[in-house]
Amino acid sequence: MRIQRGGDRYPGGDPETGIDTRHAFSFGRYYDPDNLRFGALLACNEERLAAGAGFDEHPHRHTEIVTWVVEGELTHRDSTGHATVVRPGDLQHLSAAAGVRHVERNDGPGPLVFVQMWLAPLTAGGEPSYDVVRGIAGATPYAVPAAGAVLHVHRLERDARVAVPEADFVYVHVVRGTVRLSGEELGAGDAARASEEKGLALLATADAEVLVWEMRGGFPDGA
């Protein structure tokens, strides 16, 4: 199992324009050949946008993009005609498929914080699609079948324990609070990567919110 501390993420974004990003994987100008992906997961970006800041229209292809809003309001518009505001507790999924363009902005009065995760599809192409789950319940799985992945959202009270799925690849990201995993204490921004581990469990050492990806293997590069 590999632990990545929040402070070890790659800095990115454009702070002068109000965009502060922390990357868990190689992204943009930050390249590490030993940290390109994990299972289907290509990116896990912690984004902080000041009021009025955002990403102008830009394209995506062959990527499943899942966004979890932590604080504030995320305004989304895309080339298929969707225009939504995503708030804390909402889960957004944009399947770029053969190609889509979108805009992401903080049009609210306060700061915006969200976690955005990119996954590689098992097969390329297809028609883009869009989905928002409002106020997803704790421990409710959200399947991304195009990537052979399932996201579990856990909101844990202190001393609560939950089993970690047994899968080819499991990625754990702590949104807030603290948890213990296999003897390691993880705080906000910390992540763990486990391959074919059995019997793992999360123990909340404070009230916590945790995102857990369960992914199967079978990708062309062997990841």
Side-chain angles (χ1 to χ4, degrees):
M1 187 172 66
R2 174 180 173 184
I3 304 297
Q4 183 184 47
R5 299 297 176 184
D8 295 332
R9 289 170 169 262
Y10 307 112
D14 187 355
E16 291 187 359
T17 64
I19 301 173
D20 183 19
T21 307
R22 293 293 182 268
H23 302 293
F25 297 88
S26 293
F27 198 98
R29 65 183 181 273
Y30 298 99
Y31 177 74
D32 179 352
D34 296 322
N35 190 26
L36 299 178
R37 66 188 293 173
F38 180 71
L41 203 56
L42 303 171
C44 181
N45 300 335
E46 292 185 328
E47 304 281 3
R48 293 170 174 80
L49 274 60
F55 301 98
D56 294 332
E57 186 174 274
H58 57 282
H60 289 282
R61 297 178 62 198
H62 312 315
T63 312
E64 304 296 315
I65 303 171
V66 177
T67 304
W68 181 256
V69 175
V70 180
E71 176 185 351
E73 298 180 347
L74 171 65
T75 297
H76 165 95
R77 296 189 300 275
D78 64 48
S79 55
T80 64
H82 297 99
T84 57
V85 176
V86 188
R87 298 179 174 86
D90 297 343
L91 184 146
Q92 175 182 264
H93 175 202
L94 175 64
S95 179
V100 70
R101 302 181 67 84
H102 74 152
V103 176
E104 297 168 298
R105 296 196 55 81
N106 179 9
D107 291 333
L112 166 64
V113 180
F114 62 95
V115 181
Q116 188 167 92
M117 297 151 286
W118 297 10
L119 296 94
L122 295 167
T123 58
E127 293 295 322
S129 63
Y130 181 77
D131 184 28
V132 174
V133 181
R134 302 291 186 185
I136 190 169
T140 299
Y142 181 85
V144 184
V150 177
L151 177 63
H152 303 265
V153 178
H154 293 295
R155 301 182 185 96
L156 303 173
E157 295 183 353
R158 183 185 178 95
D159 296 328
R161 182 186 296 268
V162 63
V164 173
E166 295 182 0
D168 296 329
F169 301 96
V170 172
Y171 186 87
V172 176
H173 174 85
V174 181
V175 176
R176 68 186 86 211
T178 57
V179 297
R180 187 173 297 128
L181 175 64
S182 191
E184 293 280 354
E185 193 83 8
L186 305 178
D190 292 347
R193 309 176 194 187
S195 300
E196 300 181 348
E197 295 280 352
K198 298 184 183 299
L200 293 178
L202 290 169
L203 172 66
T205 52
D207 291 353
E209 184 174 85
V210 187
L211 306 177
V212 179
W213 279 105
E214 172 188 357
M215 298 171 282
R216 66 181 176 89
F219 286 89
D221 65 356

